[in-house]
Amino acid sequence: MEEFFKNLLNTTDHTDEFSPEDINKNKAVAIVACFWILFFVPLVAAKDSGFAKFYANQGLILFITGIILSVAGGILSHVPFVGFILQLLVGLVSLGMFVFLLVNAANGKAKELPIVGGVFTAFK
């Protein structure tokens, strides 16, 4: 089980694609992008930063994934007893993805979200 989680969290790292100056200058904006609906902030506040745009993309993916997981959790909540547990698990997955993204942004790492992080790139 430990190996499973280690592999799950070992996502593609794009940190080398950005300059240390870009990362240091725009780390705070990248952190803001992790807060679901605020994914667009880097597009306004740091529109020339590749690091900020990376986190705008990851924030958008997290936002869309969060909506999908919320709908799934709402549907699962109607299943007696098991639905509550499944809804709780869906919520924990969403929270875990948020924390993963937030920690990496704060540490200046450009790592994709597990499973869904490489689905698409909306902002270049």
Side-chain angles (χ1 to χ4, degrees), residues 13-85:
D13 190 343
H14 298 275
T15 307
D16 293 341
E17 298 173 19
F18 310 108
S19 71
E21 295 82 23
D22 182 15
I23 293 171
N24 288 330
K25 182 179 177 187
N26 297 296
K27 195 183 293 186
V29 176
I31 290 170
V32 171
C34 299
F35 289 88
W36 293 288
I37 192 73
L38 298 178
F39 69 86
F40 66 89
V41 170
L43 302 174
V44 176
K47 56 186 166 198
D48 296 328
S49 168
F51 183 70
K53 286 181 185 175
F54 173 83
Y55 272 96
N57 280 307
Q58 293 300 297
L60 175 61
I61 292 169
L62 180 62
F63 178 64
I64 292 169
T65 304
I67 290 171
I68 292 168
L69 289 175
S70 292
V71 170
I75 292 168
L76 292 173
S77 70
H78 295 353
V79 178
F81 183 68
V82 176
F84 171 75
I85 294 170

